[in-house]
Amino acid sequence: MTSRQDFDKSTTSEEVVAAFSNYNAGTTILITGVSPNGLGAAMAMALASEHPAQLIFTARQIAKADEVVNVIKTNMKDPPPIMSLEMDLSSFESVREATKRLVEQKITINTLINNAGVMALPHRTLSVDGHEMHFATNFLGHWLFTNLISSNIAQGGRIVNVTSGGYMICPIRFHDIDWEGVEALPQEEQPDFAAAKSLGIGSLTSPGDYNGMLAYLHSNAASMLLSVGLTKRLQSQGISTLSAAPGVVITELQRHIGSFRNATMEYKTATQGAASLLVAALDPALQSRSGAYINDCQLTEIISSHVQDEQVANRLWAVANKMTNCNF
Ligand SMILES: NC(=O)c1ccc[n+]([C@@H]2O[C@H](COP(=O)([O-])OP(=O)(O)OC[C@H]3O[C@@H](n4cnc5c(N)ncnc54)[C@H](OP(=O)(O)O)[C@@H]3O)[C@@H](O)[C@H]2O)c1
């Protein structure tokens, strides 16, 4: 159970941060992907008002993070120290460089929110390291960053992996992880086409075909499995990892699908969407719930066995180690 059973889809980030202000004050919180009008900015602005020791924003375009820093500094009487750091999650080199800077400065992180993401690239795109861009950015970059920085995460710390409510639609395609177009995917790796259609993604038929929305949902499943993998490795150090979904919020995320609208979907404001991510980051009652999933500000049942399976998580972990030439 969360501490606040009264919180729901309409709860705002400001309400969450005020409720858990004792756990925010004096801590260092790092958010990836902070840019104007995004959920990262919504979290940042709410968190800044409750006296954290330090906020760290990462962005692939540092000017975007700095714009959020300026808004906070302009509008707040006593803003906390804020560091902005360039990190392109789709590049191993950039992730390593950013981590090096944090490690050199001996930064201790209490809360890490893996928020950055890209969605629905219309054409299959590869990262500089040669991997499908949604997988590379949303999962692999965060996997590498979290592992590289893990010894700087405080005992009793918290990691939040941001995913989406569609995490169950596209299981990990171990036979075609970079969407090269393998038709003969085993049944258990094929997307749920009916569920994809009901989400408004369109009529899809061939498991081999690249589809930007499916590639995004694939990376969301990987983010859920990152929580499983980190729970296994960090829970014994008192570090909890949760997955959280914001619901649907119009942000820059939809830049590649301008006309995407689904009449059955309920839209939230950015502060409402970010609220679920902040419950996952701050609620002390969730410290013992590593691996759990937060939606609409409450613990929510994970309805896919694939994204909770430790064997699948281990297999994905091994893939990530191989892709990054690491041995975590
Ligand atoms: N909005 C929704 O409806 C919704 C629903 C479910 C889940 N989510 C998740 O919520 C998170 C935040 O999304 P949002 O709605 O706030 O979207 P957003 O406004 O587009 O923010 C995403 C952030 O990620 C950054 N990013 C993209 N590619 C990157 C890369 N290669 N390296 C580093 N940063 C990168 C973006 O930077 P640039 O501006 O430079 O691209 C931006 O700062 C994402 O993980 C998203 O998948 C959102």
Side-chain angles (χ1 to χ4, degrees):
M1 231 171 28
T2 59
S3 304
R4 290 292 299 261
Q5 289 292 288
D6 55 323
F7 283 176
D8 59 18
K9 61 189 173 189
S10 64
T11 303
T12 65
S13 294
E14 290 70 22
E15 289 170 323
V16 174
V17 172
F20 301 125
S21 57
N22 289 348
Y23 305 95
N24 178 29
T27 64
T28 294
I29 303 171
L30 188 151
I31 309 172
T32 67
V34 176
S35 54
N37 307 318
L39 300 176
M43 285 189 274
M45 291 194 225
L47 287 165
S49 64
E50 291 287 350
H51 313 293
Q54 183 177 26
L55 294 176
I56 306 171
F57 302 161
T58 77
R60 65 172 158 175
Q61 299 177 64
I62 198 76
K64 289 195 176 184
D66 285 341
E67 221 179 303
V68 179
V69 175
N70 284 338
V71 171
I72 292 172
K73 291 200 167 156
T74 308
N75 295 319
M76 208 163 280
K77 237 180 161 187
D78 187 18
I82 307 176
M83 178 202 287
S84 51
L85 185 65
E86 188 174 307
M87 176 164 71
D88 182 343
L89 283 154
S90 70
S91 156
F92 301 154
E93 190 187 343
S94 176
V95 171
R96 288 182 196 285
E97 191 51 43
T99 314
K100 199 170 136 215
R101 285 187 54 194
L102 291 168
V103 170
E104 274 170 6
Q105 293 184 48
K106 298 191 169 52
I107 302 258
T108 299
I109 297 164
N110 301 94
T111 310
L112 165 62
I113 307 179
N114 287 326
N115 163 74
V118 60
M119 182 175 85
L121 292 168
H123 306 290
R124 177 175 172 264
T125 310
L126 297 183
S127 68
V128 284
D129 305 298
H131 299 294
E132 192 286 315
M133 191 59 91
H134 298 88
F135 186 81
T137 304
N138 305 354
F139 166 70
L140 203 50
H142 281 129
W143 179 91
L144 181 61
F145 179 57
T146 307
N147 277 301
L148 289 172
I149 202 69
S150 65
S151 47
N152 288 56
I153 299 179
Q155 272 224 340
R158 186 80 59 92
I159 301 168
V160 178
N161 294 315
V162 178
T163 183
S164 86
Y167 64 79
M168 73 298 283
I169 289 177
C170 193
I172 304 303
R173 301 160 64 95
F174 287 105
H175 288 77
D176 189 19
I177 218 146
D178 286 321
W179 296 77
E180 289 169 85
V182 174
E183 292 292 329
L185 278 184
Q187 189 64 38
E188 68 276 12
E189 293 180 21
Q190 294 193 14
D192 181 340
F193 290 122
K197 193 175 176 190
S198 74
L199 254 188
I201 295 170
S203 290
L204 307 163
T205 45
S206 170
D209 287 348
Y210 173 81
N211 172 283
M213 201 61 200
L214 278 186
Y216 170 68
L217 297 172
H218 180 242
S219 72
N220 293 153
S223 298
M224 298 283 287
L225 288 159
L226 175 57
S227 295
V228 177
L230 290 171
T231 293
K232 181 179 163 192
R233 288 161 182 86
L234 299 180
Q235 200 174 21
S236 60
Q237 299 168 40
I239 298 169
S240 284
T241 307
L242 287 103
S243 299
V248 188
V249 182
I250 299 297
T251 62
E252 288 294 309
L253 193 72
Q254 291 88 7
R255 72 187 81 171
H256 301 294
I257 45 166
S259 61
F260 177 75
R261 278 286 193 285
N262 181 330
T264 64
M265 280 180 181
E266 268 186 83
Y267 290 86
K268 291 183 183 177
T269 61
T271 180
Q272 289 170 337
S276 290
L277 317 183
L278 288 172
V279 167
L282 299 177
D283 184 346
L286 298 176
Q287 195 62 22
S288 59
R289 297 303 307 270
S290 197
Y293 168 62
I294 303 296
N295 185 35
D296 288 342
C297 293
Q298 296 300 331
L299 281 164
T300 302
E301 188 190 353
I302 301 172
I303 57 168
S304 155
S305 56
H306 184 88
V307 300
Q308 303 177 77
D309 188 323
E310 206 172 299
Q311 278 185 359
V312 178
N314 286 342
R315 195 171 169 197
L316 182 64
W317 197 273
V319 167
N321 261 325
K322 195 167 173 206
M323 284 178 165
T324 55
N325 203 16
C326 288
N327 191 20
F328 289 115

